[in-house]
């Protein structure tokens, strides 16, 4: 879907963004986005530091898709 986008498309999208938000608000928008990403990174690293028992790779903690069900033998006909 995004393979057909060219440089002209990017310029048109950028122009629409400037028209919607205004050139004066774009630096503040980018600054607040950067602060949000920075806060997210620190919170993630703090949560990992607070939990030392958590393994780095959680792929082995996945529960099996099915659980074992005990099989009963059919009743005898004798």
């Amino acid at each position: 879907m995004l393979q057909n986008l060219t440089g002209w498309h990017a310029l048109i999208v950028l122009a629409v963004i400037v028209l919607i938000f205004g050139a004066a608000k774009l630096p503040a928008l980018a600054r607040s986005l950067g602060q949000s990403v920075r806060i997210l990174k620190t919170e993630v690293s703090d949560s990992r530091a607070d939990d030392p028992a958590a393994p780095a790779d959680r792929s082995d903690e996945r529960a099996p898709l099915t659980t074992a069900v005990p099989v009963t033998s059919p009743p005898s006909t004798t």
Side-chain angles (χ1 to χ4, degrees):
M1 183 172 106
L2 297 176
Q3 297 160 349
N4 295 331
L5 296 179
T6 63
W8 287 108
H9 292 110
L11 287 175
I12 292 170
V13 169
L14 183 64
V16 169
I17 290 173
V18 169
L19 286 174
I20 290 173
F21 292 108
K25 292 195 178 202
L26 286 179
L29 182 65
R31 188 177 308 113
S32 67
L33 181 66
Q35 287 175 346
S36 300
V37 170
R38 199 173 310 123
I39 291 170
L40 178 67
K41 284 182 181 180
T42 57
E43 291 296 323
V44 167
S45 65
D46 287 346
S47 69
R48 286 186 181 167
D50 290 343
D51 192 11
D57 183 25
R58 296 177 182 248
S59 62
D60 58 343
E61 291 182 8
R62 293 184 184 156
L65 295 176
T66 60
T67 57
V69 177
V71 178
T72 59
S73 60
S76 64
T77 58
T78 59

